Amino acid sequence: SSQNLSEEFAEAARQLKKEAPRIQFGKMDVTHQHDLRKEFNIQTFPTVKFFVNGSREDPIDCRGVRKASTFITWVKRRTGPSTVLINSTDQAEAIIKADDLAVIGFFRELHNDGVEVFCETARDVPEMPFGMTASEDVCANYGIQRNSLVVFKKGKPVHNEVLEDGTQNKLGLTRLIKTFTLDLVTEYNIETSVKIFDVPVENHILLFTPTNSETFNEIYENYQSAAAEFRGKILFVLVDTNEARNGRIFEYFRIRDIDVPAVRILNLTSDAKYKMPADEVTMENLKEFCQSYLNGKAKQHLSSEKIPQDWDKMPVKVLVGKNFHSIVF
């Protein structure tokens, strides 16, 4: 909530006052400040923007940061080096073991495009520590090919991304790395729903199934395998249809008991929904569905009658599936 964020923001300001007195924190209620809202294009609340060198042109958006400690890291990485330079295996181990997650860049030399993309990504992912090294000893110790980014989870390498060919962009890497704050497949519930929407991946695939069915284990295994292949591009979510508290999400996707197991893709930006054409939840069908969606070939699923022309005429509006989400939410 805005209140929580405001308190964390104030805590970050208190802590940084000693360490970095040049960085000023301010808050503003823009309810009646229409000119400022327009100038800085503020559409959602709360919004945090960082102004650099006294200029009001192009402030940097600080998105998805909710804790004081993360605010502090975010600001420090914007005003100083965004990654720790690692010269020894001991240093590397210290970073890798200090937190659940750590990201290390292993490079041939510390001045190339890959390093730049890596450092920029670190600025946008303040939730986890970033280190980089060009030390032959460190690279040899982990047996990692140079010019690659490695995500460590609980001290073990779980993902290796080669930064050699220059095709990686900052946004793609940011999305990929942030997905490691979630499980490969995240079960939807009240606690995880906030985390799911915090990860900046706009394509979500949802598997609706009772988790106590006889076929569940087999289906779930297929779903996890597909999730590993599309990590960073599509977020994989599991919805237990036995859980009564998930009722609203079934209604939103118009899922009935006879439909399960069902697989849907949702694009958060356009709110478009897609239904997997095949009924069987096999690895092959899931991969084909995800690939055709990413290639722009999947057909939208419109489980709704047409919006009536006069839906907006009377005080009580007429809602159908196609306008339900945009009007209600």
Side-chain angles (χ1 to χ4, degrees), residues 213-224 280-283:
S213 76
E214 284 173 27
T215 54
F216 175 72
N217 287 348
E218 189 190 329
I219 287 172
Y220 188 67
E221 217 167 279
N222 295 339
Y223 198 58
Q224 272 194 309
E280 304 255 313
V281 186
T282 64
M283 179 68 187

Side-chain angles (χ1 to χ4, degrees), residues 16 24 109 125 131 141 151 185 239 281 305 307 312:
L16 274 174
Q24 302 290 322
E109 34 120 28
V125 190
N141 181 65
V151 180
V185 172
V239 184
V281 186
E305 59 268 44
I307 300 170
D312 201 13

Side-chain angles (χ1 to χ4, degrees), residues 44-305:
T44 56
F45 297 102
T47 290
V48 178
K49 287 183 183 280
F50 185 49
F51 293 84
V52 184
N53 296 333
S55 163
R56 50 199 295 164
E57 302 294 314
D58 298 325
I60 304 161
D61 276 326
C62 178
R63 290 199 186 95
V65 176
R66 295 175 189 277
K67 289 197 182 104
S69 57
T70 322
F71 266 123
I72 291 167
T73 306
W74 190 90
V75 170
K76 282 181 171 176
R77 288 185 188 176
R78 288 276 162 193
T79 53
S82 60
T83 62
V84 176
L85 187 57
I86 296 168
N87 293 315
S88 70
T89 303
D90 287 350
Q91 257 185 308
E93 282 295 291
I95 290 176
I96 290 163
K97 291 191 170 152
D99 261 300
D100 260 9
L101 288 161
V103 185
I104 309 284
F106 295 85
F107 296 103
R108 259 192 211 98
E109 34 120 28
L110 293 178
H111 304 284
N112 64 26
D113 294 346
V115 173
E116 210 167 297
V117 171
F118 182 77
C119 292
E120 279 180 18
T121 305
R123 285 191 192 109
D124 283 347
V125 190
E127 302 92 322
M128 52 187 91
F130 274 66
M132 65 177 180
T133 187
S135 151
E136 275 185 43
D137 290 351
V138 178
C139 295
N141 181 65
Y142 293 100
I144 285 162
Q145 182 190 343
R146 301 289 194 87
N147 287 355
S148 53
L149 169 157
V150 180
V151 180
F152 288 84
K153 196 165 190 172
K154 294 192 170 26
K156 292 188 171 64
V158 287
H159 185 83
N160 188 324
E161 187 80 15
V162 178
L163 299 174
E164 198 92 79
D165 52 8
T167 56
Q168 278 81 6
N169 61 14
K170 185 190 69 162
L171 186 60
L173 279 181
T174 303
R175 284 178 175 156
L176 175 73
I177 293 165
K178 285 205 177 198
T179 61
F180 286 93
T181 60
L182 296 171
D183 295 328
L184 198 50
V185 172
T186 306
E187 184 166 350
Y188 181 89
N189 58 42
I190 304 300
E191 290 76 46
T192 60
S193 63
V194 176
K195 286 184 182 174
I196 289 168
F197 292 109
D198 260 356
V199 173
V201 177
E202 64 171 0
N203 308 312
H204 289 190
I205 187 167
L206 299 96
L207 167 63
F208 294 86
T209 185
T211 54
N212 63 353
S213 76
E214 284 173 27
T215 54
F216 175 72
N217 287 348
E218 189 190 329
I219 287 172
Y220 188 67
E221 217 167 279
N222 295 339
Y223 198 58
Q224 272 194 309
S225 304
E229 202 155 313
F230 292 97
R231 185 155 216 162
K233 297 188 180 87
I234 303 177
L235 209 58
F236 278 63
V237 179
L238 168 70
V239 184
D240 183 1
T241 53
N242 278 343
E243 176 52 74
R245 283 176 299 188
N246 290 338
R248 276 185 64 186
I249 199 167
F250 309 148
E251 273 172 40
Y252 176 51
F253 283 92
R254 303 220 160 180
I255 303 282
R256 300 160 304 169
D257 285 349
I258 57 161
D259 296 328
V260 300
V263 179
R264 300 281 187 276
I265 284 178
L266 169 69
N267 179 289
L268 296 185
T269 309
S270 66
D271 206 46
K273 301 177 196 70
Y274 302 81
K275 178 183 180 180
M276 186 165 80
D279 288 332
E280 304 255 313
V281 186
T282 64
M283 179 68 187
E284 209 171 295
N285 290 342
L286 285 165
K287 275 165 72 171
E288 203 173 304
F289 180 38
C290 291
Q291 206 50 66
S292 73
Y293 167 74
L294 292 173
N295 295 344
K297 299 219 165 85
K299 281 198 175 73
Q300 254 198 71
H301 179 56
L302 303 168
S303 55
S304 166
E305 59 268 44

